[in-house]
Amino acid sequence: MDQLENRYANALLELSEENGTLKEDVAQVARVRDALSERDVEQFLIHPHIANAKKQALLKTTFADQVSEHLMGLLFLMIDKQREQAIIPALQAFIDAANQKLGIVEARVVSAKELTEQELSHIHSILKKRLNKTVSIQTTVDPDVLGGFYILVDGQVFDGTLRTELLRMKERLKRGGAMDASKS
């Protein structure tokens, strides 16, 4: 299925470049991807007994005047071809390819609570310096994260959650690291 998703992503990438709207399209596609990733919406789109016209009407209503004609056309085409399950992966493949062309890396910050603008700004500056790229941050609040946050970026995980810190402390205690820490 990766080939199929990449074909759709590349087609959208070509259209965006032809129209000179690559940067704007990345933002639009990210909004669409996030909206369609909601469990109920995704289940609606992939349901085999819901008519294509209803699926397209949902997209038209949800994204009217918010997305480009070529993006809406791609979404409609994928529905017409019964490729609904490939929509979100294709949109993500487009974002990845476009960001690579634009020199942008997408980071996903998952935290126990909503982060402040100051915290996000600090995370942004650290990632930008560490990765030497422009960074786009997507945030998610996950109550299962006990405290702190973790960052997913370029296939790496930077974990600053309370759970991970407690596990590290436990390992240090097992190895006798508590005594070493008390000497310093």
Side-chain angles (χ1 to χ4, degrees):
M1 182 121 86
D2 282 346
Q3 268 188 337
L4 178 67
E5 295 154 5
N6 287 332
R7 266 198 343 241
Y8 284 111
N10 288 333
L12 184 57
L13 191 62
E14 283 180 31
L15 287 170
S16 293
E17 288 179 314
E18 283 176 17
N19 292 324
T21 58
L22 187 58
K23 201 169 192 175
E24 297 85 3
D25 286 348
V26 171
Q28 290 177 10
V29 169
R31 271 197 311 274
V32 171
R33 175 205 57 198
D34 293 346
L36 298 183
S37 294
E38 295 292 325
R39 184 165 169 67
D40 294 340
V41 177
E42 188 175 2
Q43 292 301 315
F44 178 85
L45 282 178
I46 64 173
H47 198 286
H49 300 296
I50 296 176
N52 288 352
K54 286 186 179 183
K55 294 175 185 181
Q56 291 171 343
L58 171 74
L59 294 177
K60 198 179 288 186
T61 304
T62 306
F63 303 114
D65 301 324
Q66 295 180 24
V67 300
S68 65
E69 224 176 271
H70 53 270
L71 174 54
M72 191 64 79
L74 178 85
L75 295 171
F76 280 19
L77 175 66
M78 292 181 80
I79 289 170
D80 285 340
K81 300 277 187 187
Q82 272 79 51
R83 302 274 164 68
E84 294 91 337
Q85 288 187 321
I87 290 174
I88 294 170
L91 296 177
Q92 185 60 53
F94 167 81
I95 291 169
D96 294 343
N99 281 342
Q100 187 171 6
K101 280 188 175 289
L102 295 168
I104 298 172
V105 65
E106 191 175 78
R108 187 164 154 240
V109 179
V110 181
S111 59
K113 63 178 182 63
E114 189 92 19
L115 297 174
T116 66
E117 284 301 317
Q118 185 178 6
E119 290 168 326
L120 286 172
S121 177
H122 185 67
I123 291 168
H124 183 269
S125 63
I126 289 171
L127 288 173
K128 185 175 180 177
K129 187 176 181 180
R130 187 167 188 172
L131 300 170
N132 199 24
K133 290 184 178 181
T134 303
V135 179
S136 169
I137 295 180
Q138 305 295 323
T139 60
T140 306
V141 175
D142 182 356
D144 290 337
V145 175
L146 295 177
F149 60 89
Y150 63 92
I151 303 168
L152 303 166
V153 61
D154 261 359
Q156 297 177 316
V157 178
F158 301 101
D159 194 337
T161 60
L162 181 60
R163 176 177 290 148
T164 299
E165 290 302 316
L166 290 171
L167 288 171
R168 287 181 187 140
M169 187 182 303
K170 180 180 174 182
E171 288 302 313
R172 282 195 304 270
L173 287 171
K174 280 183 181 178
R175 290 185 306 228
M179 290 184 191
D180 294 340
S182 63
K183 290 180 185 177
S184 44

